[in-house]
Amino acid sequence: NVFAACMLAMGDADAMITGTTRSFYVCYDDVTKVIDPNRGEKPMGVSILLSKGRTIFVSDTNVHVVPSAEELVAIAKETAAYARKLGHEPRVALVSYSNFGNPMHEATARIRDAVKLLDKEKVDFEYDGEMSAAIALNYTQQKELYPFSRLSGPANVLVMPALQSAHVATRLMQSLGGGTVIGPILRGLSKPVQICQMGANVSDILNIAALAAHDAVG
């Protein structure tokens, strides 16, 4: 991993794929000894869910354990930019178990704070929260129960409140079927590095390699 990262840093390779024989965190630690984050960005993991003709971007699925309000803002902005890069107009939902403060709990305060911070930044994508994943993805129910929601359609970017929820949600879908999970895709590093899951099959590796190549070309 360290040698390959050095090759990438020196321009002897255009992208790097690893992870099939080491855990994510071992690989990530090796790679980040050599490859720095992009200036002003924090590395994170994005998983792409493909199901019933829909594409959903979920983050952070690998790096931030319990992101702060400021980190949730960074995650939302980076994921929205990545969704747009792949041809999707981002509609971002900052998700939780609650909907717009109902029930009100201190555990969801940082999510509401993140929305307020996004309001101050005047970003170029739609966003709202906090809301449950069910409400975020069901636009009819969203407008019926929460007509003040700022989204113009069902969310296609879900910013998760913590690593545990993100990891459980994506692994459940991957294990039970009903769709395809691509990733997690590592974002925010200065060079195209992707870390597959241990036990990834040929199709998983091919998908990740294609996305890494896309980044390298970009």
Side-chain angles (χ1 to χ4, degrees):
N1 283 330
V2 173
F3 183 73
C6 288
M7 290 181 65
L8 188 59
M10 297 304 294
D12 295 316
D14 297 312
M16 173 182 171
I17 313 295
T18 185
T20 56
T21 60
R22 301 286 188 276
S23 73
F24 174 89
Y25 298 102
V26 169
C27 295
Y28 182 75
D29 185 58
D30 288 343
V31 167
T32 52
K33 285 181 171 71
V34 180
I35 306 295
D36 293 325
N38 281 324
R39 181 175 296 180
E41 294 184 22
K42 290 190 175 182
M44 63 169 197
V46 179
S47 292
I48 303 176
L49 312 184
L50 308 174
S51 179
K52 299 179 180 179
R54 297 173 68 176
T55 302
I56 310 294
F57 297 81
V58 181
S59 58
D60 173 12
T61 53
N62 256 113
V63 179
H64 297 89
V65 178
V66 182
S68 65
E70 291 76 12
E71 287 172 331
L72 286 170
V73 167
I75 291 167
K77 289 164 65 176
E78 175 61 22
T79 313
Y82 188 55
R84 187 170 279 155
K85 183 179 180 180
L86 294 183
H88 299 266
E89 189 55 36
R91 291 184 296 274
V92 178
L94 289 89
V95 297
S96 178
Y97 71 93
S98 55
N99 289 291
F100 303 101
N102 183 24
M104 186 70 73
H105 194 279
E106 62 181 16
T108 58
R110 61 193 169 84
I111 304 172
R112 292 188 292 275
D113 289 343
V115 174
K116 293 175 184 176
L117 290 172
L118 284 167
D119 289 342
K120 292 179 181 178
E121 294 201 18
K122 297 180 180 179
V123 295
D124 62 348
F125 56 85
E126 294 181 16
Y127 63 91
D128 214 342
E130 88 277 18
M131 66 178 80
S132 68
I135 292 297
L137 297 174
N138 187 329
Y139 187 63
T140 300
Q141 195 173 44
Q142 183 185 138
K143 296 309 291 183
E144 180 182 336
L145 298 177
Y146 306 98
F148 52 81
S149 171
R150 293 180 281 188
L151 300 185
S152 63
N156 57 6
V157 174
L158 302 181
V159 176
M160 303 298 268
L163 180 59
Q164 290 187 74
S165 52
H167 195 274
V168 168
T170 53
R171 293 302 188 274
L172 272 173
M173 182 170 178
Q174 192 171 42
S175 298
L176 297 176
T180 300
V181 180
I182 300 174
I185 300 155
L186 189 57
R187 304 293 304 161
L189 292 181
S190 57
K191 297 287 185 178
V193 177
Q194 293 303 331
I195 302 173
C196 297
Q197 296 178 52
M198 290 183 68
N201 60 34
V202 172
S203 179
D204 295 333
I205 298 170
L206 194 60
N207 286 333
I208 287 292
L211 290 167
H214 183 266
D215 283 345
V217 171

